[in-house]
């Protein structure tokens, strides 16, 4: 951070921002504590005096902006405002938490302390090195949720001002925002903040794509608003005749949301039909329930416009896990455009905008436990049995930040909320870990289904168990919930400890039964470690306990006859080493492909340019996402100093950006059309005579592209195929996909990533 005296204009700017904060606060229903907030501002201003951000503006503008987000966009009160103003004082100045406690009391000191603890923790430079840092963040959720809410406000302002940061820092901050902060904001019901965090993350990770979609959106906005006016005119008349006080709002999809739809549907911007939604926010009459009045308005809307039969969402009868309530229906406008209508009361709208803060405001009593409260209880359960590995722990927690849910029923009719994509095995662990560990299958709607069955909304599930059933490692691939994954990992850790204990007994017994070895047991264990390539005795005991290492010839291993050559390593370890050697060939040392005769074999010294301090460093293209020239990429430096190139939107890269921020480097392609790369495309279409011949002609004759493999199958008049082809770069691949889409009877073609 820079430091210099503030000018008179800067002091005036600071005072105006503080007055704007007080004005925001005055428009809230909170009990006004202006004197306390003014005291906190003056203290923070003095503590940060002369300090500037990278952008050059006075640092105090950041705490002021965070405080304004807390009050205006989240709906928090004076305690949170003061904590936001003071949130960086302890970390960045000589003041301590005790100083804060003496001046502002225990509660504000506790929140500032929580914010200080996590500032260098999971989202700091050494995040992945200790799981305890991440536990601190989660503990604050159960101790005082305001710590996390202020942290989200802090991140939102950092994202709004991210342009002043260097490129690699932008990748790290945007990556962890997309990975943790946006889902966390969604889980706490902060929908506008979640949307903005996603959009800003996308803007900094894919600036060109973001700008392209943004420009197209600006071009069609006028037409969308014209549709909105025509569409809402009869709705206004009908609601007025019904006697309601109401507000109508147009909601245009964000750039990120549009891009996500384009990727999901593999379609162009012009084919995204639901760019706009209409919100009806009304004040309910006290003589009737909110639910009944929402359905009355629904009936009025569907009398005016024809509804889509499969796009009705009732979040009133069963609110979302984050407290969201509304009635959604998609109807056909007069111009043939589908428009989603969201029906909410004033109370529902405040919860949708302000999330957790509004959720607590409207709680009706001690027994009023919603899904959000249950989620907090799940967080506490995860904390009781954390993963040792910080990245595993981070992943487990993220599983609990699911965005979409399904509602299912127990045999007794109790309703349970599950993440979309949950399996019968997830449901078993939700009910009880014992049920999960011994689950052999389930009955869904009275029909037998396997453990891997994906639950659907409205399913009634009965779990079937057997005492002889025990978890298998493959089960981890079947579950998506944090509770199930945590339960399985606990079981495997217990089993591992049992194997280690059993293996240690076997090794000790084998040594004691041989008088030559019993004379020096430590030397015997050391020889076994060396022979089998084990890093420590615990690893040896584990393999022995599991039966993958046998001790039948222990004497010959520990006491070899003279003249023997060096030991033969443990077979599994040799295979691991072979894999590492073959995978570590850097791009600039590797030939293209053995059968790529039609492609030039010329090599460039560096096909990737890394940031200045890594120029010339050898690197490898990651198998998880198969980047090719034209893809937006970044570099990750591993523990051995090897640079790995990932696509920016690669899921693996998302976790690396979150956990290893200081090892992330910006990278760009230096040259195209030097070397060909294997890419896989998937296509579907109507199985008519000659259609696939047209595809092959486009690939080989129009684009002169070589193919490595073709796999095609047909069923009920529909064909599906995957093809591995050699391309130079992303633009060549995209041109090919466009050409194939133009072929009659080809309904879908896309690039797919298959991990090697």
């Amino acid at each position: 951070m820079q430091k210099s005296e503030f000018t008179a204009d800067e002091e005036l700017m600071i005072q105006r921002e503080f007055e704007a904060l007080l004005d925001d606060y005055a428009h809230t229903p909170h009990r006004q504590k202006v004197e306390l907030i003014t005291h906190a501002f003056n203290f923070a201003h003095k503590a940060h005096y002369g300090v500037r951000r990278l952008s050059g503006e006075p640092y105090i503008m950041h705490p002021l902006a965070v405080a304004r987000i807390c009050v205006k966009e989240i709906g928090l009160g004076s305690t949170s405002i003061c904590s936001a103003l003071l949130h960086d004082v302890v970390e960045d100045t000589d003041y301590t938490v005790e100083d804060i406690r003496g001046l502002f009391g225990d509660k504000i000191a506790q929140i500032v302390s929580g914010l200080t603890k996590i500032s260098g923790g999971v989202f700091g430079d050494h995040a992945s090195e200790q799981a305890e840092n991440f536990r601190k963040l989660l503990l604050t959720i159960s101790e005082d949720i305001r710590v996390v809410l202020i942290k989200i406000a802090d991140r939102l302002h950092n994202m709004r001002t991210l342009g002043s940061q260097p490129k690699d820092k932008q990748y790290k901050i945007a990556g962890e925002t997309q990975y943790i902060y946006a889902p966390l904001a969604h889980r706490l019901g902060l929908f506008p903040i979640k949307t903005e965090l996603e959009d800003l993350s996308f803007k900094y990770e894919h600036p060109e794509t973001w700008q392209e979609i943004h420009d197209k959106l600006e071009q069609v906005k006028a037409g969308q608003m014209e549709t909105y006016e025509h569409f809402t005119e009869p709705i206004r008349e009908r609601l007025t005749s019904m006697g309601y006080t109401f507000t109508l709002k147009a909601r245009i999809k964000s750039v990120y949301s549009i891009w996500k739809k384009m990727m999901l549907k593999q379609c162009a911007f012009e084919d995204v039909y639901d760019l706009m939604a209409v919100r009806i926010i009304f004040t309910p009459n006290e003589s009737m329930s909110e639910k009944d009045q929402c359905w009355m308005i629904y009936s009025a809307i569907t009398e005016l416009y024809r509804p889509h039969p499969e796009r009705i969402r009732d979040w009133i009868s069963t609110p979302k896990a984050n407290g969201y309530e509304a009635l959604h229906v998609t109807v056909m406008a007069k111009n043939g455009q589908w428009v989603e209508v969201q029906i909410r009361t004033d109370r529902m709208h405040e919860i949708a905008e302000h999330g957790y803060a509004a959720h607590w405001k409207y709680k009706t009593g001690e027994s009023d436990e919603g899904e959000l409260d249950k989620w907090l209880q799940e967080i506490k359960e995860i904390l009781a049995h954390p993963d040792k590995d910080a990245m595993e722990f981070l992943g487990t927690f993220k599983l609990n930040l699911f965005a979409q849910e399904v509602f299912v029923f127990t045999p007794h009719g109790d309703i349970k909320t599950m993440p979309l994509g949950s399996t019968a095995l997830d449901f078993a662990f939700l009910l009880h870990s014992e049920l999960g560990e011994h689950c052999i299958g389930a009955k869904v709607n009275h029909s037998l289904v396997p453990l891997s069955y994906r639950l659907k909304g409205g399913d009634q599930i009965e779990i079937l168990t057997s005492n002889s059933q025990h978890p298998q490692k493959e089960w981890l691939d079947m579950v998506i919930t944090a509770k199930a994954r945590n339960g399985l990992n606990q079981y495997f850790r217990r089993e591992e400890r049992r194997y280690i204990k059993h293996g240690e007994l076997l090794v000790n017994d084998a040594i004691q039964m041989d008088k030559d070895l019993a004379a020096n047991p430590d030397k015997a264990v050391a020889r076994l470690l060396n022979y089998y390539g084990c890093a420590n005795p615990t690893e040896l005991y584990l393999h022995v306990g599991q039966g993958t290492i046998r001790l039948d010839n222990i004497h010959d291993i520990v006491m070899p006859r003279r003249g023997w050559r060096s030991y033969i390593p443990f077979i599994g370890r040799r295979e691991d080493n072979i894999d590492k050697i073959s995978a570590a060939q850097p791009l600039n040392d590797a030939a293209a492909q053995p059968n790529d005769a039609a492609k030039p074999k010329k090599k460039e010294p560096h096909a990737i340019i890394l940031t200045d301090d890594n120029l010339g460093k050898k690197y490898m293209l990651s198998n998880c996402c198969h980047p090719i020239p034209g893809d937006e990429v970044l570099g990750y430096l591993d523990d051995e100093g090897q640079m790995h190139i990932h696509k920016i939107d690669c899921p693996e890269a998302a976790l690396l950006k979150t956990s290893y921020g200081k090892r992330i480097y910006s990278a760009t392609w230096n040259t195209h059309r030097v070397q060909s790369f294997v890419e896989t495309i998937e296509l579907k279409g109507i199985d008519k005579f000659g259609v696939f011949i047209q595809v092959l002609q486009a690939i080989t004759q129009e684009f002169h592209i070589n193919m490595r493999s073709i796999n095609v199958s047909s069923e009920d008049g529909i064909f599906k195929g995957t093809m591995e082809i050699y391309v130079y770069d992303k633009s060549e691949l995209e041109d090919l996909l466009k050409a194939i889409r133009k072929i009659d009877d080809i309904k879908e073609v896309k690039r797919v990533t298959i991990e090697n």
Side-chain angles (χ1 to χ4, degrees):
M1 293 182 190
Q2 311 163 53
K3 195 162 187 178
S4 62
E5 294 290 320
F6 296 154
T7 65
D9 286 343
E10 287 174 331
E11 286 288 2
L12 182 60
M13 176 181 68
I14 293 168
Q15 288 302 318
R16 283 177 177 167
E17 185 70 7
F18 176 59
E19 288 167 10
L21 169 64
L22 293 181
D23 186 56
D24 292 337
Y25 180 56
H27 287 85
T28 69
H30 293 288
R31 188 155 53 95
Q32 300 292 293
K33 296 183 179 179
V34 176
E35 187 177 339
L36 178 65
I37 293 171
T38 303
H39 180 31
F41 163 69
N42 290 332
F43 182 81
H45 186 17
K46 180 182 176 183
H48 294 301
Y49 187 78
V51 179
R52 298 178 182 275
R53 305 186 82 202
L54 281 179
S55 61
E57 74 171 5
Y59 189 84
I60 188 62
M61 295 296 288
H62 170 64
L64 279 167
V66 174
R68 290 195 68 186
I69 292 170
C70 286
V71 65
K72 192 173 183 179
E73 300 182 51
I74 303 180
L76 298 173
S78 59
T79 300
S80 299
I81 294 171
C82 291
S83 301
L85 289 169
L86 300 167
H87 80 272
D88 280 333
V89 167
V90 174
E91 184 182 4
D92 295 340
T93 74
D94 294 332
Y95 289 104
T96 66
V97 172
E98 290 308 313
D99 294 329
I100 302 295
R101 181 173 284 106
L103 291 167
F104 299 99
D106 289 338
K107 182 51 68 177
I108 291 175
Q110 178 187 344
I111 295 173
V112 171
S113 175
L115 288 162
T116 304
K117 284 177 183 176
I118 62 177
S119 63
V122 65
F123 303 121
D125 294 333
H126 305 290
S128 58
E129 293 176 13
Q130 32 180 338
E132 189 59 34
N133 287 329
F134 188 50
R135 281 169 57 82
K136 288 173 184 173
L137 172 70
L138 301 189
L139 283 167
T140 61
I141 292 179
S142 53
E143 289 175 0
D144 196 320
I145 194 69
R146 287 175 291 190
V147 176
V148 177
L149 295 174
I150 296 168
K151 190 66 184 173
I152 289 173
D154 177 47
R155 176 47 57 107
L156 178 59
H157 185 249
N158 283 335
M159 289 300 297
R160 287 172 175 173
T161 57
L162 194 57
S164 60
Q165 295 283 356
K167 194 72 176 174
D168 52 347
K169 195 82 169 178
Q170 289 177 1
Y171 286 156
K172 167 187 156 44
I173 294 172
E176 67 188 19
T177 299
Q178 186 77 277
Y179 190 79
I180 284 290
Y181 278 101
L184 187 55
H186 180 96
R187 198 62 179 78
L188 293 171
L190 302 170
F191 296 105
I193 289 178
K194 168 251 187 187
T195 300
E196 187 175 355
L197 288 175
E198 286 179 334
D199 210 47
L200 288 169
S201 298
F202 182 63
K203 178 180 179 180
Y204 285 104
E205 292 196 320
H206 302 275
E208 293 178 4
T209 307
W210 184 91
Q211 192 64 51
E212 180 184 341
I213 297 174
H214 175 267
D215 292 345
K216 288 182 178 179
L217 190 58
E218 289 299 311
Q219 291 170 13
V220 302
K221 262 187 182 176
Q224 290 292 319
M225 294 312 295
E226 188 176 337
T227 298
Y228 167 77
E229 293 299 333
H230 289 303
F231 179 80
T232 55
E233 188 175 345
I235 295 177
R236 291 178 191 276
E237 293 175 2
R238 181 62 62 91
L239 293 179
T240 301
S241 69
M242 294 170 71
Y244 281 112
T245 302
F246 62 91
T247 303
L248 298 182
K249 291 184 178 180
R251 180 193 65 82
I252 304 294
K253 269 187 182 294
S254 68
V255 172
Y256 174 73
S257 181
I258 293 170
W259 175 80
K260 223 168 50 162
K261 179 65 72 73
M262 289 166 61
M263 293 300 102
L264 180 66
K265 301 291 185 184
Q266 286 290 306
C267 66
F269 174 88
E270 292 72 22
D271 297 324
V272 178
Y273 64 84
D274 54 345
L275 291 176
M276 181 185 69
V278 173
R279 284 183 183 146
I280 299 173
I281 305 158
F282 72 98
T283 303
N285 298 320
E286 294 183 2
S287 59
M288 196 183 305
S289 72
E290 289 184 351
K291 179 179 177 181
D292 288 344
Q293 291 177 74
C294 286
W295 282 107
M296 284 174 59
I297 292 175
Y298 163 85
S299 296
I301 300 299
T302 53
E303 284 176 12
L304 296 170
Y305 299 106
R306 186 177 296 278
H308 192 304
E310 296 179 4
R311 292 187 63 83
I312 299 170
R313 301 288 182 266
D314 179 8
W315 302 116
I316 298 174
S317 302
T318 313
K320 286 189 177 184
N322 51 23
Y324 180 82
E325 295 176 72
L327 189 58
H328 293 191
V329 58
T330 299
V331 298
M332 178 70 76
K334 302 299 184 187
N335 63 356
Q337 179 179 335
W338 289 108
V339 179
E340 183 180 75
V341 180
Q342 302 171 355
I343 304 167
R344 307 172 177 173
T345 64
D346 296 326
R347 177 190 66 82
M348 294 173 188
H349 182 65
E350 186 176 354
I351 290 175
E353 294 293 301
H354 292 154
Y356 199 89
H359 163 82
W360 279 107
K361 175 181 174 182
Y362 288 107
K363 277 177 74 73
T364 57
E366 290 299 318
S367 62
D368 183 19
E369 185 183 64
E371 291 294 332
L372 207 50
D373 305 276
K374 294 175 185 175
W375 176 68
L376 293 177
Q377 185 58 42
E378 286 179 24
I379 295 301
K380 292 178 183 179
E381 290 177 16
I382 293 174
L383 286 168
H385 304 284
D387 288 302
K388 295 176 184 176
D389 183 270
M391 291 181 68
E392 279 290 322
F393 195 62
L394 187 66
T396 299
F397 174 69
K398 191 177 187 300
L399 289 174
N400 261 36
L401 300 179
F402 54 86
Q404 294 178 285
E405 306 99 354
V406 291
F407 301 101
V408 294
F409 296 90
T410 68
H412 301 295
D414 297 328
I415 193 167
K416 299 291 181 182
T417 306
M418 299 290 291
L420 184 66
S422 294
T423 62
L425 188 56
D426 282 304
F427 184 76
F429 274 99
L430 173 73
L431 298 179
H432 198 282
S433 58
E434 284 286 324
L435 282 177
E437 288 179 11
H438 298 293
C439 181
I440 57 172
K443 281 188 176 180
V444 172
N445 306 324
H446 308 292
S447 296
L448 191 64
V449 298
L451 301 176
S452 57
Y453 171 82
R454 301 281 175 189
L455 303 179
K456 301 179 181 65
D459 280 347
Q460 187 173 32
I461 312 158
E462 178 187 354
I463 297 299
L464 306 177
T465 62
S466 168
N467 288 333
S468 62
Q469 175 75 301
H470 299 289
Q472 309 297 316
K473 284 287 185 181
E474 311 86 76
W475 287 15
L476 286 169
D477 297 327
M478 292 184 196
V479 297
I480 70 162
T481 60
K483 187 161 188 178
R485 188 170 291 274
N486 207 41
L488 287 171
N489 283 329
Q490 284 183 51
Y491 174 84
F492 294 137
R493 282 196 289 269
R494 288 199 308 269
E495 285 297 286
E496 186 175 289
R497 288 193 295 269
R498 188 173 66 80
Y499 282 129
I500 290 169
K501 187 174 181 180
H502 180 58
E504 185 176 6
L505 287 173
L506 292 176
V507 170
N508 289 337
D509 287 347
I511 291 173
Q512 293 304 319
M513 289 174 66
D514 189 311
K515 62 179 182 180
D516 293 331
L517 307 186
N520 195 338
D522 292 340
K523 180 180 177 181
V525 171
R527 286 280 181 89
L528 289 171
L529 293 178
N530 189 40
Y531 182 86
Y532 287 110
C534 296
N536 50 56
T538 300
E539 186 179 350
L540 173 69
Y541 300 149
L542 176 61
H543 284 302
V544 172
Q546 291 174 329
T548 54
I549 290 179
R550 302 188 64 177
L551 301 174
D552 300 343
N553 59 342
I554 184 172
H555 184 90
D556 293 337
I557 294 171
V558 177
M559 311 279 292
R561 293 190 295 271
R562 291 180 176 234
W564 276 25
R565 300 185 64 179
S566 60
Y567 68 88
I568 299 172
F570 185 33
I571 291 299
R573 302 217 156 265
R574 284 183 61 191
E575 290 174 347
D576 289 345
N577 291 336
I578 291 170
D579 287 343
K580 288 176 183 174
I581 292 167
S582 61
Q585 296 297 324
L587 169 67
N588 33 325
D589 289 341
Q593 289 83 21
N595 298 321
D596 195 11
K599 300 288 184 180
K601 297 296 189 291
K602 176 186 171 186
K603 298 177 189 174
E604 286 286 321
H606 300 293
I608 286 279
I609 298 179
L610 296 154
T611 44
D612 291 344
D613 52 346
N614 282 281
L615 281 175
K617 180 179 285 293
K618 289 190 175 185
Y619 55 87
M620 57 184 286
L621 301 182
S622 299
N623 287 330
C624 54
C625 56
H626 295 288
I628 62 174
D631 286 329
E632 294 172 290
V633 291
L634 54 77
Y636 162 67
L637 195 65
D638 67 15
D639 293 334
E640 284 75 40
Q642 172 73 58
M643 187 70 71
H644 300 257
I645 304 300
H646 288 268
K647 286 199 286 191
I648 285 178
D649 54 1
C650 167
E652 179 71 16
L655 186 55
L656 293 172
K657 282 181 285 186
T658 301
S659 304
Y660 296 101
K662 282 210 162 182
R663 299 188 191 177
I664 298 298
Y665 296 89
S666 59
T668 56
W669 295 96
N670 184 23
T671 180
H672 292 191
R673 300 199 171 271
V674 169
Q675 176 182 344
S676 58
F677 299 80
V678 178
E679 280 296 315
T680 304
I681 62 173
E682 182 179 275
L683 57 164
K684 297 178 184 177
I686 308 299
D687 189 13
K688 287 187 178 179
F689 182 78
V691 64
F692 206 73
I693 296 297
Q694 295 179 62
V695 174
L696 295 176
Q697 286 174 340
I699 294 172
T700 58
Q701 295 180 18
E702 185 179 345
F703 285 85
H704 305 288
I705 288 175
N706 280 352
M707 292 178 286
R708 187 165 82 170
S709 69
I710 302 173
N711 192 330
V712 185
S713 61
S714 176
E715 185 177 353
D716 298 330
I718 302 295
F719 84 84
K720 178 179 179 180
T722 56
M723 310 174 71
E724 289 185 331
I725 59 176
Y726 292 119
V727 293
Y728 284 116
D729 53 35
K730 184 181 179 183
S731 63
E732 182 180 37
L733 179 62
E734 289 180 341
D735 289 343
L736 173 64
L737 296 182
K738 286 178 185 176
I740 295 175
R741 287 190 187 105
K742 292 178 182 177
I743 298 173
D744 290 339
D745 300 318
I746 294 293
K747 301 304 179 185
E748 183 181 315
V749 59
K750 60 184 177 181
R751 174 188 181 184
V752 294
T753 300
I754 299 176
E755 188 169 345
N756 292 341

